[in-house]
Amino acid sequence: MNRFLTLVAIFLFAMPLMAQDKPELKSSDLKKLSKPFGAWVNAKIEGDPAAASKAMMDLDSVRVKVEKKLKGRAVLSLVRDWEWVFQNGRKFETSGKLIKKGKVLERDMGAYGKYYVWLPSSYNPNKVSYPTILLLDADPSTTLKALPPEVKDTFIVLAPEISSLDASALLEVEGRSLIVGPIGQGTVSYRVDRRHLFLFGKGEMGVQAAATYAAVLPHFFTGVALIGAEAKPVPGQGNLKLMPVEQKESLADAAVWASGLSSHTLYPTSFEVELVEPWQGRAFWVQALKFDTGDALPEGKAARLKVAVDRGTNTITIDGEYVYQVMLLLNDALVDLDKPIHVLRNGQTYTFQSSRSLGTLLENYVLSLDGSVFPAKLRELDLPMESSKSEEG
């Protein structure tokens, strides 16, 4: 019982509705930004383009007013402040057909199947952002009805029904919609803390599915627990090094382990990733647009990216193998967007001046829903096959 109380204390009291670092703006200014942002999100969810357009104009108007107080600094350069706005601007339902506290709720995904939701009996999205488990289990309904206290009183749990999913379809549209879909729907419906999103695989089928998805979506998860079975090697096996992955005996053990993990890193300044699925591409803030997979590769080879940032020189180094074009999502936690940015791509330098925009910030928010802040992007950057003379553009 003591470890359960410790777990609750770690999560519920360490995760108030605020960003990881202290925002720079005054609370009053953050709230002014949060109100039209929340209105914009609601309009997007409800499919009301007129209301979304008005909310965006209201948000931009507030941005301009706040920026006048910053003496030359751009509001869109304040990454932690916008994380706060993203996390606090939205309002969530506290009752209704999708809010069943302390009970197992079944949600339909049409042709793709269904998934189950568990909300703690004390669920209160107005006060707490909740760590969340994506649970892959051959019998999720039974598992959720017998959750240990280490899980049921602390975590939101999203559990797709994967028992009828053929192994050959695991990474196809059917499998992706069933396994990844609940994350998106859950983030829209509930106050999911995407900085503490865990992937738990339980039993032989669940463990193998969890290892497979951790390898192709390593930027999604804070940690991966493989419960009660060992996973066979999966495509992109090397990507499992990008997050903590451990074998556990039970859900309770996995929950206690997860409680000790640090927040998920949204903007790593150094990482390597393998790209093994044609739909994959995204790795943190780099999106591969053109790369080879499958039969297009020599035997034993995989498309790879190695990325590093030197903020002192405002340089991004990208080494790509069988990757030919990428998109970069950028913010001032990675580079100084007020200065020219140098990209050393397979030995060739490309220099450009980026610009921040509210439209880009909101566009990227909708695409990921993970609370990451990217007010700028380089939409297309070719990676040369061989080193050549530097160029600027």
Side-chain angles (χ1 to χ4, degrees):
M1 187 63 177
N2 286 340
R3 75 172 183 174
F4 164 58
L5 292 176
T6 300
L7 174 63
V8 173
I10 289 174
F11 272 130
L12 296 190
F13 294 100
M15 294 186 191
L17 303 182
M18 59 186 295
Q20 296 300 306
D21 297 337
K22 184 179 179 181
E24 294 185 42
L25 295 175
K26 293 181 179 179
S27 176
S28 59
D29 288 331
L30 289 168
K31 290 176 181 178
K32 289 175 183 176
L33 290 166
S34 296
K35 185 175 180 180
F37 169 75
W40 178 81
V41 173
N42 289 336
K44 297 293 285 187
I45 292 172
E46 294 166 5
D48 188 338
S53 179
K54 180 182 183 304
M56 184 174 175
M57 288 189 292
D58 291 343
L59 179 57
D60 197 40
S61 178
V62 174
R63 178 193 64 81
V64 171
K65 292 176 182 177
V66 172
E67 201 158 274
K68 291 179 180 179
K69 305 176 184 180
L70 294 181
K71 299 179 180 180
R73 296 184 66 196
V75 172
L76 291 174
S77 71
L78 306 179
V79 175
R80 303 309 179 197
D81 296 72
W82 283 101
E83 287 182 351
W84 192 99
V85 170
F86 286 174
Q87 197 172 22
N88 291 271
R90 290 197 56 196
K91 302 299 180 185
F92 291 83
E93 298 292 335
T94 57
S95 62
K97 64 179 182 179
L98 296 181
I99 310 298
K100 303 297 180 185
K101 302 177 185 180
K103 297 180 180 180
V104 179
L105 170 68
E106 181 180 315
R107 294 191 64 172
D108 182 55
M109 298 190 70
Y112 298 114
K114 62 185 178 181
Y115 69 99
Y116 302 96
V117 179
W118 175 270
L119 299 178
S121 57
S122 60
Y123 175 73
N124 184 349
N126 293 324
K127 293 184 177 181
V128 175
S129 187
Y130 286 80
T132 299
I133 296 167
L134 177 66
L135 175 65
L136 303 184
D137 181 358
D139 190 5
S141 179
T142 298
T143 298
L144 262 59
K145 290 175 182 176
L147 286 174
E150 288 87 347
V151 176
K152 71 177 184 179
D153 293 329
T154 306
F155 293 85
I156 293 173
V157 183
L158 309 171
E161 178 60 77
I162 64 171
S163 59
S164 61
L165 184 64
D166 188 88
S168 63
L170 186 64
L171 290 171
E172 301 303 320
V173 172
E174 177 185 356
R176 300 201 305 271
S177 299
L178 180 60
I179 291 175
V180 181
I183 299 175
Q185 283 195 4
T187 302
V188 169
S189 301
Y190 314 111
R191 196 176 286 279
V192 169
D193 183 352
R194 291 292 293 270
R195 297 289 287 269
H196 291 85
L197 175 63
F198 305 98
L199 177 59
F200 286 7
K202 181 174 179 289
E204 186 175 341
M205 183 179 189
V207 161
Q208 197 62 37
T212 299
Y213 268 86
V216 294
L217 298 173
H219 59 289
F220 269 40
F221 305 109
T222 310
V224 181
L226 307 177
I227 303 167
E230 292 188 11
K232 299 175 184 177
V234 296
Q237 182 79 20
N239 293 340
L240 298 181
K241 298 177 183 177
L242 291 169
M243 76 219 86
V245 180
E246 287 205 13
Q247 298 284 149
K248 295 296 172 184
E249 293 297 320
S250 67
L251 277 173
D253 291 338
V256 173
W257 168 74
S259 73
L261 297 179
S262 300
S263 301
H264 185 44
T265 301
L266 296 175
Y267 325 115
T269 55
S270 178
F271 62 89
E272 296 182 41
V273 65
E274 299 177 20
L275 305 173
V276 295
E277 289 293 322
W279 53 265
Q280 188 183 358
R282 177 77 179 269
F284 302 102
W285 47 275
V286 178
Q287 173 75 51
L289 300 175
K290 296 179 181 179
F291 57 98
D292 290 334
T293 58
D295 294 339
L297 290 164
E299 185 175 354
K301 293 290 187 177
R304 299 174 183 273
L305 282 172
K306 183 177 181 180
V307 181
V309 179
D310 182 345
R311 203 174 190 283
T313 60
N314 235 33
T315 299
I316 300 170
T317 300
I318 303 175
D319 292 317
E321 185 178 11
Y322 302 107
V323 181
Y324 311 108
Q325 189 178 76
V326 299
M327 175 171 64
L328 304 182
L329 306 176
L330 300 170
N331 63 30
D332 288 86
L334 290 166
V335 290
D336 186 342
L337 294 175
D338 287 324
K339 298 178 180 179
I341 300 167
H342 313 289
V343 184
L344 186 62
R345 44 188 184 136
N346 284 354
Q348 179 178 315
T349 301
Y350 175 80
T351 299
F352 70 102
Q353 181 67 60
S354 190
S355 60
R356 310 177 191 91
S357 81
L358 182 61
T360 299
L361 179 80
L362 297 180
E363 174 190 358
N364 290 329
Y365 172 84
V366 168
L367 288 176
S368 67
L369 292 177
D370 63 1
S372 55
V373 174
F374 296 114
K377 65 171 61 175
L378 180 57
R379 294 184 182 274
E380 292 183 1
L381 177 68
D382 292 332
L383 301 187
M385 295 289 291
E386 298 179 356
S387 298
S388 59
K389 293 182 180 181
S390 297
E391 61 177 286
E392 293 193 359

